[in-house]
Amino acid sequence: MVKLVLLHKAASIYDDELDVAYDFPRSYLKAVEQAVGDWIIYYEPVKAGPRGYFAVAKISDVIPKPGVEGRYLAMIEPGSYLPFDRDVPRLLDGRPLETALSDQEGSPLRGGAIQLAVRRLPDSDFARIVDLGLPQDLERIEATRYGPQIRTFDDEPLIFQRPVLERLTRRKYREVAFSRKVREAYGYRCAMSGLQLRNGGGRPEVQAAHIRPVERDGSDSVRNGLALSGTLHWMFDRGLISVANDNETILVSKNKVPGDVIDRLIRPGGKLLKPDNPHCMPHPENLRWHRENVFGQVPFDGGSPWQ
């Protein structure tokens, strides 16, 4: 197995669905097949956008792209995709983070490997890039973000360096990383009420909701998330609200939710508040899945936070 950097351009001819599949030509087939079962880092080149290295994922399989000769799909292992907490530039202090892109003095090379859409990545380079994009103490950073640090026995493991791969597979760490990115994408506003509420210490009250749950093969992509208030998050998970196939109209199970509650909780016009960054828009396929598999289909016992 081998780790890779996979180049991604949003406006290219390749149909990448970064948390599902990576589309590539036959010329890279051998390299990508060698990476099956291992991790990759997504990279956006400077001319395509400002992100640099921006996410990590794991390849589970490689298949021919249906209906397209000479193209293949690297299938992403469900639950493995994770956006970086902060984007990582190609150069740090003027030196490439990929050793293959630098000369013996550490200066950037021109042409050659830098133009490849698929590049092999040594374990040491992989660990360094992930450490920059996903700090090992991210849980502590978030826990102490809005107030003084309060030490408890539960905090003790955070003083130790977690191995990169353990960090990438640890559910608690991934939840923190997902929550930070989703809430930031929506400006800490609820996507359905439009409210931006903070408690007395300045901590945002908005939560990050998975559109398609992780336990049902949903990813930790921002495009599988919505920033929602606690009550609306509860309602969304129980299928009392969803989003229509126009990807913006909020659907409400009106036989279960009183009209006055709708008027209080849903923003005027009943349209979803969307992120400014197009990379963070809810994916239509995730919204469709929630609409068809959760909306109106979860048993409701009548107990609710508005009663």
PDB file of all heavy atoms in Angstrom, residues 17 26 74 89 152 175 196 212 224 264 272 279 292:
ATOM      1  N   GLU A  17     -16.504  13.155  -6.508  1.00  0.00           N
ATOM      2  CA  GLU A  17     -17.422  13.287  -5.374  1.00  0.00           C
ATOM      3  C   GLU A  17     -16.565  12.916  -4.185  1.00  0.00           C
ATOM      4  O   GLU A  17     -16.471  11.765  -3.814  1.00  0.00           O
ATOM      5  CB  GLU A  17     -18.614  12.350  -5.547  1.00  0.00           C
ATOM      6  CG  GLU A  17     -19.825  12.751  -4.762  1.00  0.00           C
ATOM      7  CD  GLU A  17     -20.347  14.112  -5.199  1.00  0.00           C
ATOM      8  OE1 GLU A  17     -20.816  14.246  -6.333  1.00  0.00           O
ATOM      9  OE2 GLU A  17     -20.257  15.039  -4.364  1.00  0.00           O
ATOM     10  N   ARG A  26      -6.678   6.512 -17.006  1.00  0.00           N
ATOM     11  CA  ARG A  26      -5.956   5.235 -16.967  1.00  0.00           C
ATOM     12  C   ARG A  26      -4.478   5.404 -16.609  1.00  0.00           C
ATOM     13  O   ARG A  26      -3.863   4.521 -15.997  1.00  0.00           O
ATOM     14  CB  ARG A  26      -6.070   4.543 -18.327  1.00  0.00           C
ATOM     15  CG  ARG A  26      -5.573   3.104 -18.337  1.00  0.00           C
ATOM     16  CD  ARG A  26      -5.405   2.567 -19.761  1.00  0.00           C
ATOM     17  NE  ARG A  26      -6.582   2.790 -20.571  1.00  0.00           N
ATOM     18  CZ  ARG A  26      -7.631   1.967 -20.623  1.00  0.00           C
ATOM     19  NH1 ARG A  26      -7.627   0.870 -19.880  1.00  0.00           N
ATOM     20  NH2 ARG A  26      -8.664   2.238 -21.398  1.00  0.00           N
ATOM     21  N   ALA A  74     -11.711   5.854  -7.911  1.00  0.00           N
ATOM     22  CA  ALA A  74     -11.174   5.404  -6.630  1.00  0.00           C
ATOM     23  C   ALA A  74     -12.289   5.579  -5.612  1.00  0.00           C
ATOM     24  O   ALA A  74     -12.681   6.704  -5.289  1.00  0.00           O
ATOM     25  CB  ALA A  74      -9.944   6.226  -6.243  1.00  0.00           C
ATOM     26  N   PRO A  89      -1.153  25.161   2.992  1.00  0.00           N
ATOM     27  CA  PRO A  89      -0.540  25.594   1.728  1.00  0.00           C
ATOM     28  C   PRO A  89       0.521  24.612   1.248  1.00  0.00           C
ATOM     29  O   PRO A  89       1.086  23.840   2.046  1.00  0.00           O
ATOM     30  CB  PRO A  89       0.081  26.944   2.090  1.00  0.00           C
ATOM     31  CG  PRO A  89       0.373  26.843   3.555  1.00  0.00           C
ATOM     32  CD  PRO A  89      -0.752  26.013   4.131  1.00  0.00           C
ATOM     33  N   THR A 152      -9.817  18.328  33.807  1.00  0.00           N
ATOM     34  CA  THR A 152     -10.478  17.183  34.421  1.00  0.00           C
ATOM     35  C   THR A 152      -9.689  15.940  34.065  1.00  0.00           C
ATOM     36  O   THR A 152      -8.807  15.957  33.212  1.00  0.00           O
ATOM     37  CB  THR A 152     -11.919  17.009  33.903  1.00  0.00           C
ATOM     38  OG1 THR A 152     -11.867  16.591  32.523  1.00  0.00           O
ATOM     39  CG2 THR A 152     -12.711  18.309  33.993  1.00  0.00           C
ATOM     40  N   GLU A 175     -15.869  14.008  15.292  1.00  0.00           N
ATOM     41  CA  GLU A 175     -17.066  14.801  15.585  1.00  0.00           C
ATOM     42  C   GLU A 175     -16.701  16.259  15.848  1.00  0.00           C
ATOM     43  O   GLU A 175     -17.388  17.175  15.391  1.00  0.00           O
ATOM     44  CB  GLU A 175     -17.803  14.216  16.798  1.00  0.00           C
ATOM     45  CG  GLU A 175     -18.547  12.925  16.515  1.00  0.00           C
ATOM     46  CD  GLU A 175     -19.827  13.135  15.724  1.00  0.00           C
ATOM     47  OE1 GLU A 175     -20.182  14.300  15.449  1.00  0.00           O
ATOM     48  OE2 GLU A 175     -20.468  12.128  15.369  1.00  0.00           O
ATOM     49  N   GLN A 196     -28.496  33.446  15.111  1.00  0.00           N
ATOM     50  CA  GLN A 196     -27.114  33.271  15.548  1.00  0.00           C
ATOM     51  C   GLN A 196     -27.073  33.514  17.056  1.00  0.00           C
ATOM     52  O   GLN A 196     -26.922  34.640  17.512  1.00  0.00           O
ATOM     53  CB  GLN A 196     -26.189  34.240  14.814  1.00  0.00           C
ATOM     54  CG  GLN A 196     -24.714  34.039  15.098  1.00  0.00           C
ATOM     55  CD  GLN A 196     -23.861  35.102  14.435  1.00  0.00           C
ATOM     56  OE1 GLN A 196     -24.102  36.295  14.637  1.00  0.00           O
ATOM     57  NE2 GLN A 196     -22.889  34.691  13.639  1.00  0.00           N
ATOM     58  N   ARG A 212     -26.979  12.769   6.400  1.00  0.00           N
ATOM     59  CA  ARG A 212     -27.034  11.300   6.378  1.00  0.00           C
ATOM     60  C   ARG A 212     -26.149  10.807   7.514  1.00  0.00           C
ATOM     61  O   ARG A 212     -24.944  11.077   7.530  1.00  0.00           O
ATOM     62  CB  ARG A 212     -26.527  10.755   5.041  1.00  0.00           C
ATOM     63  CG  ARG A 212     -26.561   9.237   4.952  1.00  0.00           C
ATOM     64  CD  ARG A 212     -26.295   8.767   3.539  1.00  0.00           C
ATOM     65  NE  ARG A 212     -26.392   7.316   3.446  1.00  0.00           N
ATOM     66  CZ  ARG A 212     -26.505   6.645   2.293  1.00  0.00           C
ATOM     67  NH1 ARG A 212     -26.524   7.317   1.154  1.00  0.00           N
ATOM     68  NH2 ARG A 212     -26.588   5.333   2.294  1.00  0.00           N
ATOM     69  N   ASN A 224     -22.270  17.156   3.947  1.00  0.00           N
ATOM     70  CA  ASN A 224     -23.226  16.258   4.605  1.00  0.00           C
ATOM     71  C   ASN A 224     -23.630  16.831   5.959  1.00  0.00           C
ATOM     72  O   ASN A 224     -24.030  16.104   6.854  1.00  0.00           O
ATOM     73  CB  ASN A 224     -22.613  14.863   4.790  1.00  0.00           C
ATOM     74  CG  ASN A 224     -23.627  13.852   5.301  1.00  0.00           C
ATOM     75  OD1 ASN A 224     -24.781  13.837   4.884  1.00  0.00           O
ATOM     76  ND2 ASN A 224     -23.194  13.005   6.228  1.00  0.00           N
ATOM     77  N   ARG A 264     -42.558  29.944  14.824  1.00  0.00           N
ATOM     78  CA  ARG A 264     -41.532  30.412  15.760  1.00  0.00           C
ATOM     79  C   ARG A 264     -40.128  29.940  15.377  1.00  0.00           C
ATOM     80  O   ARG A 264     -39.156  30.631  15.629  1.00  0.00           O
ATOM     81  CB  ARG A 264     -41.841  29.925  17.181  1.00  0.00           C
ATOM     82  CG  ARG A 264     -43.064  30.548  17.819  1.00  0.00           C
ATOM     83  CD  ARG A 264     -43.028  30.406  19.336  1.00  0.00           C
ATOM     84  NE  ARG A 264     -42.803  29.038  19.764  1.00  0.00           N
ATOM     85  CZ  ARG A 264     -43.776  28.161  20.024  1.00  0.00           C
ATOM     86  NH1 ARG A 264     -45.042  28.521  19.870  1.00  0.00           N
ATOM     87  NH2 ARG A 264     -43.487  26.937  20.439  1.00  0.00           N
ATOM     88  N   LEU A 272     -33.891  27.463   3.154  1.00  0.00           N
ATOM     89  CA  LEU A 272     -32.670  27.116   3.862  1.00  0.00           C
ATOM     90  C   LEU A 272     -31.620  28.218   3.699  1.00  0.00           C
ATOM     91  O   LEU A 272     -31.408  28.737   2.600  1.00  0.00           O
ATOM     92  CB  LEU A 272     -32.126  25.802   3.288  1.00  0.00           C
ATOM     93  CG  LEU A 272     -31.137  24.988   4.124  1.00  0.00           C
ATOM     94  CD1 LEU A 272     -31.820  24.439   5.363  1.00  0.00           C
ATOM     95  CD2 LEU A 272     -30.582  23.838   3.279  1.00  0.00           C
ATOM     96  N   HIS A 279     -18.152  25.333  -1.900  1.00  0.00           N
ATOM     97  CA  HIS A 279     -17.607  24.033  -1.511  1.00  0.00           C
ATOM     98  C   HIS A 279     -18.374  23.432  -0.334  1.00  0.00           C
ATOM     99  O   HIS A 279     -18.281  22.224  -0.084  1.00  0.00           O
ATOM    100  CB  HIS A 279     -16.139  24.161  -1.110  1.00  0.00           C
ATOM    101  CG  HIS A 279     -15.207  24.497  -2.238  1.00  0.00           C
ATOM    102  ND1 HIS A 279     -15.116  23.738  -3.386  1.00  0.00           N
ATOM    103  CD2 HIS A 279     -14.318  25.512  -2.392  1.00  0.00           C
ATOM    104  CE1 HIS A 279     -14.219  24.264  -4.192  1.00  0.00           C
ATOM    105  NE2 HIS A 279     -13.724  25.350  -3.617  1.00  0.00           N
ATOM    106  N   GLU A 292     -35.923  10.825   1.668  1.00  0.00           N
ATOM    107  CA  GLU A 292     -36.518   9.535   1.338  1.00  0.00           C
ATOM    108  C   GLU A 292     -36.392   8.494   2.445  1.00  0.00           C
ATOM    109  O   GLU A 292     -37.144   7.517   2.459  1.00  0.00           O
ATOM    110  CB  GLU A 292     -35.874   8.994   0.053  1.00  0.00           C
ATOM    111  CG  GLU A 292     -36.158   9.861  -1.173  1.00  0.00           C
ATOM    112  CD  GLU A 292     -35.540   9.298  -2.438  1.00  0.00           C
ATOM    113  OE1 GLU A 292     -34.897   8.224  -2.361  1.00  0.00           O
ATOM    114  OE2 GLU A 292     -35.695   9.927  -3.499  1.00  0.00           O
TER     115      GLU A 292
END
